[in-house]
Amino acid sequence: AAGVIQSPRHLIKEKRETATLKCYPIPRHDTVYWYQQGPGQDPQFLISFYEKMQSDKGSIPDRFSAQQFSDYHSELNMSSLELGDSALYFCASSLTDRPYGYTFGSGTRLTVV
Amino acid sequence: SQQGEEDPQALSIQEGENATMNCSYKTSINNLQWYRQNSGRGLVHLILIRSNEREKHSGRLRVTLDTSKKSSSLLITASRAADTASYFCATEGTGVDKIIFGKGTRLHILP
């Protein structure tokens, strides 16, 4: 069965650089979510999209932006990277009535040096 | 914050024993979900229990929900080495489009 696909799996960037993370949700899932998980931390909600429109927003820095495209894939853009942005970034997708919870991708490990 | 604490933060038990993890939350919810995460890997959905349900089973997993106490428990019976992982509860509040994770329990199954 198709899963949530994230790319790249690993990314190393220098401070002040820009990073773009991509997410391809499960086909026919109508909601996409982004989460950030620091080392030893619980996942923190960043932002979600329902049918390509932003539906909820969490503790997402102003340096970050995200969008969902017409083909339902989503991108998380991160600018002026800081050392503290080093984390695992997860994308998840779900159906509106959440019968099976959220399906998470394998994550992108971002390291800022 | 919508989410409270998970209890215990870490748990070590012998293979074959049962493991119980607890989760508390603060606000009204639509559902509560449990996820497993192996070290540095992705989050795997285990089970979802809706606010109008009190108990749910899936294989060796049993989840209870007490909305009056705003708490849930996850029981893993007959634990196996492969159950070693971190377990997170996550709540979906009413009128929101996200789940909020608790701090997680690190479960270690001893051979």
Side-chain angles (χ1 to χ4, degrees), chain A residues 2 4 11 15 22 25 33-34 38 41 45 54 56 61 65 68 72 76 87 90 104 106 108-109:
Chain A
V4 175
L11 191 57
K15 284 193 303 183
K22 295 185 178 182
Y33 313 82
W34 286 96
Q41 303 296 312
F45 172 73
Q54 181 182 309
D56 210 330
S65 65
Q68 188 175 26
Y72 288 87
L76 178 66
F90 290 107
F104 281 80
S106 298
T108 293
R109 183 174 294 282

Short mmCIF file of all heavy atoms in Angstrom, two decimals, chain A residues 2 4 11 15 22 25 33-34 38 41 45 54 56 61 65 68 72 76 87 90 104 106 108-109:
data_model
loop_
_atom_site.label_atom_id
_atom_site.label_comp_id
_atom_site.label_asym_id
_atom_site.label_seq_id
_atom_site.Cartn_x
_atom_site.Cartn_y
_atom_site.Cartn_z
N ALA A 2 0.39 2.28 -0.70
CA ALA A 2 1.16 3.52 -0.77
C ALA A 2 1.20 4.16 0.61
O ALA A 2 0.23 4.15 1.36
CB ALA A 2 0.50 4.47 -1.77
N VAL A 4 2.99 7.68 2.98
CA VAL A 4 3.35 9.08 2.84
C VAL A 4 4.84 9.14 2.50
O VAL A 4 5.66 8.56 3.21
CB VAL A 4 3.06 9.85 4.14
CG1 VAL A 4 3.55 11.29 4.02
CG2 VAL A 4 1.58 9.80 4.47
N LEU A 11 19.19 15.92 5.20
CA LEU A 11 19.56 17.20 4.62
C LEU A 11 20.50 17.91 5.58
O LEU A 11 20.20 18.02 6.78
CB LEU A 11 18.29 18.04 4.39
CG LEU A 11 18.38 19.32 3.57
CD1 LEU A 11 18.93 19.03 2.18
CD2 LEU A 11 17.01 19.97 3.49
N LYS A 15 24.05 27.42 8.56
CA LYS A 15 23.25 28.50 9.14
C LYS A 15 22.96 29.55 8.08
O LYS A 15 23.78 29.84 7.22
CB LYS A 15 24.00 29.13 10.31
CG LYS A 15 23.98 28.32 11.57
CD LYS A 15 24.45 29.12 12.78
CE LYS A 15 25.84 29.68 12.56
NZ LYS A 15 26.33 30.40 13.77
N LYS A 22 9.79 18.18 1.07
CA LYS A 22 8.63 17.81 0.27
C LYS A 22 7.88 16.64 0.89
O LYS A 22 8.48 15.76 1.52
CB LYS A 22 9.05 17.48 -1.16
CG LYS A 22 9.62 18.67 -1.90
CD LYS A 22 9.91 18.34 -3.35
CE LYS A 22 10.44 19.57 -4.08
NZ LYS A 22 10.68 19.31 -5.51
N PRO A 25 1.35 13.00 0.07
CA PRO A 25 0.43 12.27 0.94
C PRO A 25 -0.13 11.02 0.26
O PRO A 25 0.07 10.81 -0.94
CB PRO A 25 -0.68 13.29 1.18
CG PRO A 25 -0.65 14.17 -0.03
CD PRO A 25 0.79 14.25 -0.43
N TYR A 33 -0.34 17.32 7.26
CA TYR A 33 0.17 17.96 8.49
C TYR A 33 1.69 17.95 8.45
O TYR A 33 2.30 17.02 7.95
CB TYR A 33 -0.29 17.17 9.73
CG TYR A 33 -1.74 16.79 9.74
CD1 TYR A 33 -2.18 15.67 9.05
CD2 TYR A 33 -2.67 17.54 10.46
CE1 TYR A 33 -3.52 15.31 9.06
CE2 TYR A 33 -4.01 17.18 10.49
CZ TYR A 33 -4.43 16.06 9.78
OH TYR A 33 -5.76 15.70 9.79
N TRP A 34 2.28 18.95 9.10
CA TRP A 34 3.73 18.98 9.30
C TRP A 34 4.03 19.05 10.79
O TRP A 34 3.39 19.82 11.53
CB TRP A 34 4.35 20.20 8.62
CG TRP A 34 4.44 20.09 7.13
CD1 TRP A 34 3.57 20.59 6.21
CD2 TRP A 34 5.48 19.45 6.37
NE1 TRP A 34 4.00 20.30 4.93
CE2 TRP A 34 5.18 19.60 5.01
CE3 TRP A 34 6.66 18.76 6.72
CZ2 TRP A 34 5.99 19.10 3.99
CZ3 TRP A 34 7.46 18.28 5.71
CH2 TRP A 34 7.12 18.44 4.37
N GLY A 38 12.37 17.61 17.81
CA GLY A 38 13.76 17.80 18.23
C GLY A 38 14.28 16.56 18.94
O GLY A 38 13.49 15.68 19.32
N GLN A 41 12.58 14.85 22.02
CA GLN A 41 11.34 15.60 22.26
C GLN A 41 10.13 14.92 21.63
O GLN A 41 10.28 14.01 20.81
CB GLN A 41 11.47 17.01 21.66
CG GLN A 41 12.66 17.80 22.19
CD GLN A 41 12.53 18.09 23.67
OE1 GLN A 41 11.49 18.53 24.15
NE2 GLN A 41 13.59 17.81 24.42
N PHE A 45 3.42 20.22 16.50
CA PHE A 45 2.63 20.55 15.33
C PHE A 45 3.07 21.88 14.74
O PHE A 45 3.25 22.88 15.47
CB PHE A 45 1.15 20.60 15.70
CG PHE A 45 0.26 21.13 14.62
CD1 PHE A 45 -0.02 20.35 13.50
CD2 PHE A 45 -0.29 22.39 14.70
CE1 PHE A 45 -0.85 20.83 12.50
CE2 PHE A 45 -1.12 22.88 13.71
CZ PHE A 45 -1.40 22.10 12.60
N GLN A 54 -4.79 26.23 4.08
CA GLN A 54 -4.29 26.10 5.44
C GLN A 54 -5.46 25.94 6.40
O GLN A 54 -6.42 26.72 6.36
CB GLN A 54 -3.48 27.34 5.82
CG GLN A 54 -2.89 27.28 7.22
CD GLN A 54 -2.14 28.53 7.59
OE1 GLN A 54 -1.27 28.99 6.85
NE2 GLN A 54 -2.45 29.11 8.73
N ASP A 56 -4.97 24.78 9.98
CA ASP A 56 -4.60 25.01 11.37
C ASP A 56 -3.11 25.37 11.41
O ASP A 56 -2.36 24.99 10.51
CB ASP A 56 -4.90 23.78 12.24
CG ASP A 56 -5.24 24.13 13.67
OD1 ASP A 56 -4.74 25.16 14.18
OD2 ASP A 56 -6.00 23.37 14.31
N PRO A 61 7.66 29.00 13.13
CA PRO A 61 8.36 30.29 13.07
C PRO A 61 8.00 31.05 11.80
O PRO A 61 7.65 30.45 10.78
CB PRO A 61 9.85 29.89 13.06
CG PRO A 61 9.89 28.48 13.55
CD PRO A 61 8.59 27.86 13.16
N SER A 65 7.51 28.61 5.96
CA SER A 65 6.23 28.71 5.26
C SER A 65 5.94 27.37 4.62
O SER A 65 6.85 26.57 4.39
CB SER A 65 6.26 29.82 4.20
OG SER A 65 7.19 29.48 3.17
N GLN A 68 0.29 23.70 -0.01
CA GLN A 68 -0.10 22.46 -0.64
C GLN A 68 -0.49 22.78 -2.08
O GLN A 68 -1.23 23.73 -2.34
CB GLN A 68 -1.28 21.81 0.10
CG GLN A 68 -1.61 20.42 -0.40
CD GLN A 68 -2.70 19.74 0.40
OE1 GLN A 68 -3.54 20.39 1.00
NE2 GLN A 68 -2.68 18.42 0.41
N TYR A 72 -1.76 17.92 -4.55
CA TYR A 72 -1.86 17.59 -3.13
C TYR A 72 -0.53 17.39 -2.43
O TYR A 72 -0.52 17.21 -1.20
CB TYR A 72 -2.78 16.38 -2.88
CG TYR A 72 -4.23 16.68 -3.10
CD1 TYR A 72 -4.79 16.58 -4.37
CD2 TYR A 72 -5.03 17.10 -2.06
CE1 TYR A 72 -6.11 16.89 -4.58
CE2 TYR A 72 -6.37 17.41 -2.26
CZ TYR A 72 -6.90 17.31 -3.53
OH TYR A 72 -8.23 17.63 -3.74
N LEU A 76 7.45 22.35 2.73
CA LEU A 76 7.78 23.18 3.88
C LEU A 76 9.07 23.92 3.55
O LEU A 76 10.10 23.29 3.31
CB LEU A 76 7.95 22.32 5.13
CG LEU A 76 8.35 23.04 6.42
CD1 LEU A 76 7.23 23.98 6.88
CD2 LEU A 76 8.66 22.02 7.53
N ALA A 87 16.38 18.99 13.42
CA ALA A 87 15.30 18.15 13.95
C ALA A 87 14.85 17.18 12.88
O ALA A 87 15.29 17.24 11.73
CB ALA A 87 14.11 19.02 14.38
N PHE A 90 8.38 15.67 10.18
CA PHE A 90 7.45 14.66 9.70
C PHE A 90 6.29 15.31 8.97
O PHE A 90 5.79 16.35 9.36
CB PHE A 90 6.87 13.85 10.87
CG PHE A 90 7.86 12.94 11.52
CD1 PHE A 90 8.38 13.24 12.77
CD2 PHE A 90 8.25 11.76 10.91
CE1 PHE A 90 9.29 12.40 13.39
CE2 PHE A 90 9.16 10.92 11.51
CZ PHE A 90 9.68 11.24 12.75
N PHE A 104 1.98 8.75 9.02
CA PHE A 104 3.18 9.57 8.99
C PHE A 104 4.19 9.04 7.98
O PHE A 104 4.31 7.82 7.78
CB PHE A 104 3.84 9.61 10.37
CG PHE A 104 3.18 10.55 11.33
CD1 PHE A 104 2.03 10.18 12.00
CD2 PHE A 104 3.71 11.81 11.57
CE1 PHE A 104 1.40 11.05 12.87
CE2 PHE A 104 3.10 12.69 12.45
CZ PHE A 104 1.94 12.31 13.10
N SER A 106 8.33 8.83 6.80
CA SER A 106 9.52 8.44 7.54
C SER A 106 10.32 9.63 8.05
O SER A 106 11.25 9.45 8.84
CB SER A 106 10.42 7.57 6.66
OG SER A 106 9.73 6.38 6.31
N THR A 108 12.14 13.73 7.44
CA THR A 108 13.38 14.31 6.90
C THR A 108 14.21 14.76 8.09
O THR A 108 13.74 15.54 8.92
CB THR A 108 13.10 15.51 6.00
OG1 THR A 108 12.41 15.09 4.82
CG2 THR A 108 14.40 16.21 5.61
N ARG A 109 15.43 14.24 8.17
CA ARG A 109 16.33 14.67 9.24
C ARG A 109 17.13 15.86 8.75
O ARG A 109 17.98 15.71 7.85
CB ARG A 109 17.25 13.54 9.68
CG ARG A 109 18.16 13.95 10.86
CD ARG A 109 18.96 12.79 11.39
NE ARG A 109 18.14 11.77 11.99
CZ ARG A 109 17.61 11.83 13.20
NH1 ARG A 109 17.83 12.89 13.96
NH2 ARG A 109 16.88 10.83 13.67
#
